Amino acid sequence: MSFQVRTLSIYSHDERRRDVQFALGALNIVTGRSETGKSSLLRIIAYCLGSSSYRIQVDVINASCSWFGVLFVKGEKTVFVARPRLPDGQKSHSSCCLLHGVSEPPDYAELLPNTNLDGVVDALTSFAGIADVETAPEEGRTTDPIRPNIKHARDLLLQPQGLLASDTQLLYGTDDYFEKLHLRDCLPYFMGIVGEEF
């Protein structure tokens, strides 16, 4: 169960693209002055990993960007996911661009919505190798069984700087009660403690 980020792409309103390249199979550390958008990189990745919320807060990014994209790689296979920037005041957007087998991020003209958020989550869940299994909450719990997907795994992958220093929160997304419950149910599967047959 794994894949890596090769390229994060930000598309401007005038159709230019700026890429942030990552080294595969290595630790990537992003440095720079305060308030330059470093933390937004994780939020962009989370957004392209199927987040239903839009948390990209830096004004300069929101003012000048029209699409965000991430090229994921797993061995020789690739998946590119792009999502449009949300207009001011809008809380969600389901139109997405999903491309399989591309070697580099596409040009702006190729960013055509061809799926919705559920399609992206399903594609990335399959791409990551997450099996089609269902959790079995213990007796007496009021929560329904859930199917682990990339959105649950995302919380284990992204660790922003502020979270590393937190004494009240261990993992990304666990500040939300339901995300915390879902992650707790999925964690044994993701860690390999229980197999698919369980």
Side-chain angles (χ1 to χ4, degrees), residues 78-100:
T78 62
V79 171
F80 178 79
V81 175
R83 297 183 67 189
R85 179 188 73 84
L86 289 184
D88 293 337
Q90 190 172 330
K91 301 220 184 275
S92 65
H93 196 292
S94 64
S95 294
C96 305
C97 177
L98 177 69
L99 303 171
H100 293 272

Side-chain angles (χ1 to χ4, degrees), residues 2 6 16 32 35 39 47 55 73 87-88 101 116 136 152 168 173:
S2 69
R6 179 187 289 165
R16 288 179 296 154
E35 306 298 319
S39 297
Y47 186 54
R55 298 181 181 185
V73 64
D88 293 337
N116 60 20
H152 304 117
T168 59

Side-chain angles (χ1 to χ4, degrees), residues 127 150 152:
F127 188 65
I150 196 64
H152 304 117

Side-chain angles (χ1 to χ4, degrees), residues 1 16-17 19 27 38 44-46 48-50 55 59-60 102 107 110 116-117 130 141 151 153 163 168-169:
M1 264 191 278
R16 288 179 296 154
R17 184 184 85 219
D19 295 332
L27 174 65
K38 297 181 304 296
I44 291 168
I45 292 170
C48 291
L49 281 170
R55 298 181 181 185
D59 290 339
V60 68
V102 297
D107 292 331
E110 299 173 73
N116 60 20
L117 193 53
I130 299 171
R141 281 258 312 267
K151 292 170 74 170
L163 186 58
T168 59
Q169 185 180 349

